[in-house]
C-alpha cells in the first residue's frame, strides 16, 4: 500500500489488492474520492488514512467504472454522495468475479458532469472502452487525468471489452493533453503511457489476426497463448510483473472469448475481395 501526492490538494492511494488506485481531491476538511480500492482490507486502510489520520470527511464519491475491484470502499462512506454513470449496472453485472457486498446504489447517475472542488475542476466524461460505463476524470487544473481501466499501465486488459471502443477511449484521453495519467491500477504515469497502451493493443490485435489467418485451427489457440508481451510492447518499454501477469490474462480471454475474431473475419473478407 502506498500514498503519493501528484499535485497540491490531490492524493493517490494504491492498495495491495491488484494494485487498485483511488484518488482523493481535498478541499479544506472535505474530500472528493474517485474510486475506493479493491478489497475490504484496503478500503478500511483508505478510510483510516483519510478520516482517522487526516481528520477529513469524504463528501463525494465518484466511480470511474462499477467493477468490484474499484468500489470496495463505497459503503464505508455512507453519508457521501455517490456518483456513477447511468450504465453502472451494465458494468457491474458483466464481471466474472462479482462482489455483491461491495455494491452500493448510486445517489446520482449521469452522462457527463463538471464539478469545482476547491482548487480543482473535475470533468467527469463518459468514455466507454473497458466497460460501457467508463468515465475519464479530466483535471485540467492539476494537468492530470484519471483513466480508470481504459489502460493497465503500458498495456490494456481486454476481457468483456470491444477492442475498437477501447482504442477510441484511449485516443480520446490522449486528446486531453495531460502530462500525467492515473490508471485504475499500478499508479501514475507520464503521458507516453497512452501511446504505449495503444501500441500494445494494435500489435496484439495484429498478431492474433495473423495467427487466425495462417495457423491451422487445431494449433491457433496454443500459438495465441505463446504470444510474448515483449513482441507487443512499444520500443524501450520493459514490462512490470503486473503488466506481464495481465498480458497472460489477455491471452486467456482472447481464446475464451474469441477476441479479435471479428477483426480476423473482416481481414479474411478483404483478402478474398
Amino acid at each position: 500500500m502506498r500514498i503519493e501526492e501528484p499535485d497540491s490538494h490531490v492524493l493517490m492511494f494504491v492498495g495491495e489488492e491488484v494494485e487498485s488506485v483511488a484518488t482523493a481531491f481535498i478541499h479544506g476538511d472535505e474530500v472528493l474520492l474517485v474510486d475506493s480500492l479493491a478489497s475490504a482490507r484496503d478500503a478500511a486502510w483508505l478510510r483510516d488514512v483519510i478520516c482517522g489520520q487526516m481528520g477529513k470527511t469524504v463528501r463525494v464519491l465518484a466511480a470511474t467504472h462499477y467493477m468490484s475491484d474499484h468500489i470496495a470502499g463505497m459503503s464505508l462512506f455512507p453519508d457521501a454522495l455517490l456518483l456513477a454513470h447511468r450504465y453502472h449496472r451494465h458494468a457491474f453485472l458483466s464481471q466474472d468475479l462479482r462482489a455483491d457486498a461491495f455494491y452500493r446504489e448510486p445517489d446520482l447517475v449521469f452522462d457527463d458532469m463538471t464539478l469545482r472542488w476547491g482548487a480543482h475542476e473535475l470533468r467527469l466524461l463518459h468514455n466507454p472502452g473497458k466497460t460501457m460505463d467508463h468515465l475519464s476524470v479530466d483535471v485540467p487544473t492539476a494537468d492530470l487525468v484519471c483513466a480508470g481501466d481504459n489502460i493497465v499501465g503500458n498495456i490494456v486488459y481486454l476481457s468483456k471489452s470491444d477492442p475498437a471502443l477501447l482504442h477510441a477511449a484511449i485516443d480520446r484521453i490522449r486528446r486531453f493533453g495531460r502530462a500525467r495519467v492515473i490508471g485504475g491500477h499500478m499508479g501514475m504515469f507520464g503521458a507516453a503511457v497512452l501511446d504505449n497502451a495503444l501500441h500494445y493493443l494494435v500489435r496484439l490485435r495484429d498478431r492474433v489476426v495473423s495467427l487466425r489467418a495462417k495457423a491451422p485451427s487445431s494449433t491457433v489457440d496454443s500459438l495465441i497463448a505463446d504470444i510474448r508481451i515483449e513482441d507487443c510492447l512499444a520500443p524501450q518499454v520493459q514490462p512490470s510483473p503486473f503488466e506481464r501477469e495481465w498480458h497472460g490474462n489477455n491471452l486467456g480471454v482472447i481464446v475464451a472469448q474469441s477476441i479479435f475474431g471479428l477483426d480476423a473475419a473482416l481481414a479474411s473478407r478483404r483478402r478474398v475481395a
Side-chain angles (χ1 to χ4, degrees), residues 178-201:
R178 305 304 170 211
R180 294 169 294 180
V181 181
I182 295 178
H185 299 272
M186 298 179 67
M188 186 171 63
F189 305 87
V193 74
L194 300 172
D195 293 323
N196 295 342
L198 283 177
H199 183 98
Y200 171 86
L201 176 58

Side-chain angles (χ1 to χ4, degrees), residues 53-150:
Q53 299 177 35
M54 298 176 63
K56 307 292 185 185
T57 300
V58 176
R59 293 295 186 196
V60 180
L61 295 162
T64 58
H65 60 299
Y66 239 66
M67 284 192 159
S68 299
D69 58 336
H70 297 277
I71 62 170
M74 295 305 192
S75 295
L76 298 185
F77 308 100
D79 296 327
L81 182 73
L82 177 54
L83 313 177
H85 188 266
R86 62 191 179 95
Y87 293 158
H88 67 282
R89 279 179 60 95
H90 183 281
F92 189 78
L93 294 172
S94 73
Q95 302 174 90
D96 292 322
L97 300 174
R98 200 177 74 218
D100 289 353
F102 293 161
Y103 183 86
R104 176 184 160 190
E105 194 73 28
D107 298 300
L108 179 65
V109 297
F110 63 96
D111 284 311
D112 291 343
M113 178 185 299
T114 299
L115 298 172
R116 188 77 197 188
W117 191 259
H120 293 297
E121 177 184 273
L122 282 72
R123 302 167 63 225
L124 284 68
L125 305 173
H126 186 212
N127 196 17
K130 177 60 182 71
T131 64
M132 289 303 297
D133 70 327
H134 236 88
L135 300 173
S136 292
V137 183
D138 181 38
V139 191
T141 49
D143 198 17
L144 67 82
V145 59
C146 300
D149 276 5
N150 280 333

Side-chain angles (χ1 to χ4, degrees), residues 154-166:
N154 293 288
I155 68 171
V156 299
Y157 183 47
L158 292 166
S159 179
K160 305 296 181 65
S161 69
D162 171 7
L165 203 59
L166 190 54

